[in-house]
Amino acid sequence: MKDGRTVTWGANNGDADNANKARAFASVLKMDGQNWNISNPELVTSS
């Protein structure tokens, strides 16, 4: 992202998976941290 934060999206596993990742992405933007992994949107990790 332009501000230096990173999000790991992971593989494109279809529209439903991408929709879940998009919801997870919207949530992580509100969280503290610099790096997020939403490749599994049910288990988002940050560092």
Side-chain angles (χ1 to χ4, degrees):
M1 297 173 45
K2 289 182 180 182
D3 62 4
R5 297 181 292 174
T6 60
V7 176
T8 302
W9 189 268
N12 179 354
N13 295 322
D15 291 341
D17 187 55
N18 284 334
N20 289 336
K21 288 178 183 179
R23 283 190 287 279
F25 179 68
S27 295
V28 300
L29 290 178
K30 301 172 189 172
M31 300 169 73
D32 290 333
Q34 290 295 309
N35 305 293
W36 298 277
N37 184 332
I38 59 171
S39 56
N40 177 354
E42 295 179 12
L43 183 63
V44 175
T45 59
S46 67
S47 59

